[in-house]
């Protein structure tokens, strides 16, 4: 039983750790783009990659200040959003989806390619760029701290604290925007672009603003992940993360301010709990070793998560915070 | 094609309704295609739009009288909706110019046209399903400060305007009898209510020209009457209304002027009374030979002509060297 409680504690730690911040920020960005504006960005991870490498390259390769790196990462994300949006936002929604998914995969391959190695250090990645950030922590980062029955390094705690502050600020910004007339226009665009055009709104500009804003959130997520792990390699930024963020968003409830945040926390909790919980059950002999061994857990947990998502969509398609009436309107 | 002006019909209906200024102004206008109106607000010149080999719209000259209700009719595929799309910037023509109050509308995007005061509704109603009825209405208001990204974050900048817009929206909703539904999602409204909402939403922008694409399609007869009343009200308020409609009773009831399109061209213009007698219109709807079935003599004569032609062809080929007879008949 003690092991089971430990498993819960480990899962809670995952749910509030910097990985969950990373997922939450990706999902907040996707919520802005997909949940409110109806834009299909299937390459959110590309923005995270640019954010992370903006810091990593600036600090470790070019010897610049950490905050200059942050700025470079954000500018790079804005530029990517503009490059993706300019040709595709005048077209049907599908084209943005195609362009973003290709850009995400293309950028990852570019950053790990041999020709980019002088700058990105190829598939080995870059490390040692977060010292300036970790030194800002008001507590001793060398020590380990106990929190909710788990141990945290001082640095992890600092990254998580800053991360959740960013998440709170981002949520506040989204909340402020979507309750304003600006948010009304953006939500209308999700429903029917042509109707909004006929009422004198420049749809293209609104879509671009939503795309850029979501991209900035994605870049911030990438930065938190990079300073949390202390190193960055291109293969950390697999596009599967984009879809994990979509899953978190739908779990929490799309087009709800707190949907992506709670969804991301819960997602990481579930992933970690499926892992540590299963392990403790196997070790206690509750699940016989002939049926499942601890080496299978890493695979089987995603089967469980997939099953859970299917059940969610069947029984609660609006997610945790969503409004069922609203979701059902589409199924006319 | 040009028919004689028939003032009796126009005055008879003009006397009933007080404020039909446009009808009075149009009384002496000849019933000709491309005729000049006393006070045109929209003028179309040489606008053509082709989709591949198909000419969807080819209008030489068309003027729309200010403050009147102009009905646009025509069989399916006549190019009515395409003309609407061109006039409102949703589509760009291959050639031609068109102006609104002397201002060229060419190369303008849809939202720019709407900002000038030309709003439209759609054939397939575009209610914004997952927004409430009131939010749908508020979207229609123009010049909202809170719609720009940065001032959206400072509610003090737009709260007053929002309140004024809400009052205006509620007034319109009461007029259209949708005020009880203001907090319902627009997606839960019936088809007819959506048409009403779309029209009310268009009015939020204080338009000068309202273009309605089949406002009565799919609406039950009772609601049709109320929609008709609302369209007439627009005219009372001095707006210019252009509408596409298939129901001739509706067209006769409310139009001051009717424009008939077929195969992309304007084939007739005139007050509603003139249209049903117009031969070009009848031909367009029913086909050119609808009242002339072939008589036995006609049939014999055409057969004889065809045989004579075949005979000539085959003589021609015998005189030459080869050429199979099937080619001859086909030609």
């Amino acid at each position: 039983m003690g092991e089971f409680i430990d498993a819960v504690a480990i899962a809670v730690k995952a749910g509030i750790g910097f990985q969950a911040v990373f997922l939450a920020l990706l999902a907040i960005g996707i919520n802005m783009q997909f949940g409110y504006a109806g834009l299909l960005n299937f390459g959110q991870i590309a923005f995270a990659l640019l954010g992370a490498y903006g810091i990593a390259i600036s600090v470790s390769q070019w010897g610049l200040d950490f905050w200059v790196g942050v700025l470079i990462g954000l500018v790079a994300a804005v530029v990517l959003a503009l490059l993706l949006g300019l040709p595709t936002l005048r077209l049907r929604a599908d084209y943005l989806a195609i362009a973003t998914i290709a850009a995400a995969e293309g950028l990852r391959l570019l950053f790990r390619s041999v020709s980019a190695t002088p700058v990105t250090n190829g598939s080995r990645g870059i490390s040692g760029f977060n010292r300036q950030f970790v030194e800002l922590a008001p507590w001793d980062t060398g020590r380990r701290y106990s929190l909710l029955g788990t141990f945290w390094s001082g640095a992890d705690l600092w990254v998580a604290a800053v991360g959740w502050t960013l998440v709170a600020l981002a949520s506040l910004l989204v909340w402020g925007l979507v309750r304003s007339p600006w948010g009304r226009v953006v939500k209308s665009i999700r429903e029917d672009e042509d109707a909004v055009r006929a009422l004198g709104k420049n749809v293209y500009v609104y879509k671009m603003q939503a795309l850029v804003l979501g991209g900035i959130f994605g870049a911030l997520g990438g930065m938190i992940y990079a300073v949390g792990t202390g190193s960055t390699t291109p293969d950390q930024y697999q596009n599967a993360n984009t879809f994990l963020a979509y899953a978190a968003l739908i779990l929490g409830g799309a087009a709800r301010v707190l949907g992506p945040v709670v969804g991301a926390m819960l997602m990481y909790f579930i992933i970690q709990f499926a892992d540590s919980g299963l392990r403790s059950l196997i070790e206690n002999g509750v699940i016989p070793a002939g049926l499942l061994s601890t080496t299978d857990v890493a695979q089987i947990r995603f089967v469980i998560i997939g099953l859970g998502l299917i059940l969610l969509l069947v029984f609660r398609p609006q997610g945790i915070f969503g409004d069922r009436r609203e979701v059902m309107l589409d199924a006319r | 094609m040009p028919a004689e002006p028939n003032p009796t019909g126009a005055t008879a209906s003009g006397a009933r309704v007080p404020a039909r200024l446009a009808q009075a102004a149009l009384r002496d206008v000849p019933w000709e295609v491309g005729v000049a109106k006393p006070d045109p607000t929209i003028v179309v010149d040489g606008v053509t739009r082709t989709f591949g080999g198909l000419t969807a719209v080819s209008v030489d000259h068309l003027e729309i009288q200010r403050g009147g209700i102009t009905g646009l009719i025509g069989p399916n595929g006549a190019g009515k909706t395409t003309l609407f799309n061109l006039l409102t910037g949703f589509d760009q023509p291959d050639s031609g110019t068109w102006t609104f109050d002397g201002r060229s509308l060419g190369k303008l995007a849809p939202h720019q046209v709407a900002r000038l005061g030309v709003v439209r509704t759609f054939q397939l109603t575009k209610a914004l399903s997952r927004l409430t009825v009131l939010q749908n209405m508020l979207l229609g208001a123009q010049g909202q400060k809170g719609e720009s990204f940065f001032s959206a974050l400072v509610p003090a900048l737009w709260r007053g305007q929002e309140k004024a817009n809400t009052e205006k929206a509620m007034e319109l909703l009461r007029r259209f009898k949708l005020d009880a539904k203001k907090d319902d999602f627009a997606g839960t409204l019936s088809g007819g209510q959506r048409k009403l909402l779309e029209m009310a939403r268009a009015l939020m922008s204080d338009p000068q020209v309202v273009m309605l694409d089949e406002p009565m399609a799919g609406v039950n007869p009772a609601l049709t009457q109320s929609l008709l009343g609302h369209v007439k009200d627009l005219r009372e308020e001095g707006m210019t209304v252009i509408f596409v409609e298939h129901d001739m009773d509706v067209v006769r009831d409310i139009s001051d002027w009717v424009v008939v399109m077929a195969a992309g061209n304007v084939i007739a213009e005139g007050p509603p009374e003139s249209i049903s007698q117009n031969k070009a219109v009848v031909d367009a709807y029913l086909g050119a030979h609808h009242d002339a079935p072939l008589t036995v003599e006609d049939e014999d004569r055409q057969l004889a002509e065809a045989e004579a032609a075949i005979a000539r062809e085959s003589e021609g080929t015998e005189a030459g060297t080869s050429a199979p007879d099937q080619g001859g008949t086909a030609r």
Side-chain angles (χ1 to χ4, degrees):
Chain A
M1 199 60 210
E3 280 127 341
F4 196 73
I5 290 168
D6 282 349
V8 174
I10 292 168
V12 169
K13 182 186 174 181
I16 57 175
F18 69 84
Q19 291 94 338
V21 174
F22 165 64
L23 195 63
L25 282 168
L26 291 191
I28 290 172
I30 291 172
N31 195 27
M32 188 75 242
Q33 294 161 343
F34 166 74
Y36 291 110
L39 302 173
L40 281 175
N41 172 8
F42 281 159
Q44 178 72 332
I45 198 67
F47 296 94
L49 178 128
L50 288 183
Y53 270 91
I55 295 178
I57 294 174
S58 305
V59 176
S60 292
Q61 308 287 85
W62 296 340
L64 297 173
D65 189 74
F66 178 83
W67 298 107
V68 176
V70 170
L71 195 70
I72 288 174
L74 291 179
V75 169
V78 171
V79 170
L80 177 66
L82 293 175
L83 283 179
L84 288 172
L86 281 173
T88 59
L89 288 184
R90 288 189 202 279
L91 307 173
R92 246 181 18 234
D94 337 19
Y95 292 93
L96 178 67
I98 298 166
T100 48
I101 203 167
E105 202 53 15
L107 272 178
R108 183 179 68 84
L109 293 174
L110 175 71
F111 273 63
R112 79 195 298 281
S113 67
V114 175
S115 47
T117 302
V119 184
T120 63
N121 207 16
S123 57
R124 271 167 300 148
I126 303 172
S127 56
F129 49 80
N130 64 347
R131 197 181 313 119
Q132 193 188 344
F133 177 78
V134 171
E135 276 167 4
L136 288 172
W139 51 73
D140 180 6
T141 49
R143 265 190 59 202
R144 287 172 72 76
Y145 297 85
S146 171
L147 190 76
L148 297 170
T150 51
F151 286 97
W152 295 65
S153 80
D156 278 359
L157 208 56
W158 171 237
V159 174
V162 172
W164 288 113
T165 310
L166 272 180
V167 169
L169 290 175
S171 299
L172 202 66
L173 181 65
V174 171
W175 175 78
L177 282 172
V178 298
R179 63 196 273 276
S180 74
W182 184 86
R184 188 165 58 220
V185 178
V186 165
K187 281 185 267 185
S188 307
I189 290 169
R190 173 191 71 194
E191 300 298 314
D192 195 313
E193 284 183 36
D194 280 343
V196 181
R197 279 198 190 97
L199 293 170
K201 321 290 173 194
N202 191 346
V203 167
Y204 185 64
V205 167
Y206 285 96
K207 284 164 93 171
M208 190 62 93
Q209 287 172 341
L211 185 66
V212 169
L213 184 63
I216 287 175
F217 290 145
L220 288 173
M223 289 175 186
I224 290 294
Y225 194 74
V227 294
T229 51
S231 72
T232 175
T233 66
D235 292 337
Q236 285 170 340
Y237 299 94
Q238 301 269 3
N239 207 8
N241 288 295
T242 302
F243 299 104
L244 200 63
Y246 266 97
L249 175 64
I250 290 161
L251 174 66
R256 287 288 177 279
V257 173
L258 289 179
V261 181
V262 174
M265 292 170 95
L266 212 57
M267 197 72 184
Y268 255 104
F269 174 84
I270 294 167
I271 292 173
Q272 190 57 50
F273 185 67
D275 186 89
S276 54
L278 275 178
R279 276 179 210 281
S280 81
L281 289 177
I282 292 165
E283 279 159 14
N284 284 347
V286 179
I287 298 174
L291 191 67
L292 205 64
S293 71
T294 46
T295 47
D296 300 329
V297 167
Q299 281 84 46
I300 208 83
R301 61 180 179 161
F302 280 107
V303 175
I304 294 172
I305 289 162
L307 205 62
L309 278 174
I310 292 170
L311 293 175
L312 176 82
L313 289 182
V314 171
F315 293 107
R316 205 175 161 79
Q318 71 273 36
I320 293 167
F321 288 113
D323 179 342
R324 193 180 178 88
R325 286 188 310 145
E326 193 177 324
V327 175
M328 285 301 156
L329 278 178
D330 272 353
R332 262 173 288 136
Chain B
M1 192 188 310
E4 285 301 307
N6 179 1
T8 48
T11 36
S13 54
R16 277 206 315 271
V17 189
R20 299 187 70 165
L21 296 171
Q23 196 181 45
L26 290 169
R27 191 177 305 152
D28 300 326
V29 172
W31 304 351
E32 289 169 11
V33 171
V35 68
K37 307 289 186 312
D39 183 16
T41 176
I42 288 182
V43 179
V44 180
D45 257 312
V47 166
T48 60
R49 177 73 173 105
T50 56
F51 296 110
L54 176 81
T55 304
V57 165
S58 169
V59 174
D60 289 337
H61 189 79
L62 178 64
E63 295 185 3
I64 307 286
Q65 173 71 11
R66 187 191 314 278
I69 299 181
T70 302
L72 186 56
I73 65 169
N76 290 325
K80 306 180 295 288
T81 298
T82 309
L83 183 62
F84 258 42
N85 286 344
L86 293 172
L87 291 180
T88 50
F90 277 85
D91 195 3
Q92 292 295 330
D94 303 318
S95 68
T97 58
W98 63 109
T99 58
F100 164 61
D101 279 350
R103 237 185 122 132
S104 174
L105 293 182
K107 302 272 178 279
L108 286 192
H111 69 273
Q112 292 168 317
V113 176
R115 283 178 193 172
L116 289 176
V118 183
V119 295
R120 67 170 296 183
T121 66
F122 293 86
Q123 192 171 354
L124 299 170
T125 326
K126 293 185 185 298
L128 306 164
S129 301
R130 285 184 287 172
L131 267 65
T132 67
V133 168
L134 183 59
Q135 283 176 325
N136 263 272
M137 292 295 290
L138 290 173
L139 187 73
Q142 296 299 302
Q144 296 190 52
K145 294 193 197 80
E147 284 184 354
S148 82
F149 184 86
F150 291 105
S151 49
L153 293 167
V154 190
L157 288 177
W158 46 264
R159 202 160 269 155
Q161 197 184 24
E162 184 84 348
K163 211 173 149 221
N165 284 339
T166 307
E167 274 166 26
K168 185 174 166 191
M170 285 310 297
E171 203 180 299
L172 275 168
L173 284 177
R174 271 192 289 279
R175 188 168 129 197
F176 283 81
K177 299 200 170 53
L178 285 170
D179 48 332
K181 300 249 174 208
K182 74 179 171 79
D183 294 322
D184 290 9
F185 286 122
T188 64
L189 298 182
S190 74
Q193 286 170 329
R194 284 179 205 205
K195 294 263 180 202
L196 284 172
L197 175 61
E198 202 180 20
M199 202 186 286
R201 190 175 64 196
L203 297 186
M204 276 298 285
S205 62
D206 297 321
Q208 297 173 50
V209 178
V210 183
M211 301 178 69
L212 306 169
D213 199 347
E214 298 200 20
M216 317 296 171
V219 176
N220 74 52
L223 204 51
T224 302
Q225 283 309 313
S226 109
L227 268 167
L228 278 178
H230 290 306
V231 176
K232 286 181 189 167
D233 286 348
L234 304 185
R235 175 174 54 192
E236 305 289 304
E237 287 168 25
M239 291 175 215
T240 306
V241 180
I242 309 172
F243 75 108
V244 170
E245 189 50 64
H246 284 297
D247 184 340
M248 282 309 292
D249 287 333
V250 169
V251 173
R252 244 193 305 275
D253 184 8
I254 63 171
S255 322
D256 298 312
W257 194 258
V258 176
V259 175
V260 189
M261 287 184 75
N265 301 296
V266 174
I267 57 164
E269 274 192 61
E273 304 81 30
S274 70
I275 294 303
S276 52
Q277 307 145 20
N278 187 310
K279 186 166 182 305
V281 177
V282 176
D283 286 354
Y285 270 94
L286 301 174
H289 301 291
H290 58 92
D291 55 350
L294 284 180
T295 59
V296 178
E297 295 86 66
D298 280 339
E299 207 173 329
D300 287 346
R301 199 185 68 241
Q302 285 186 6
L303 204 64
E305 276 172 13
E307 275 168 357
I310 294 166
R312 273 200 305 280
E313 283 291 327
S314 50
E315 274 166 26
T317 47
E318 274 162 24
T321 47
S322 61
D325 52 357
Q326 64 193 53
T329 32
R331 241 176 274 141

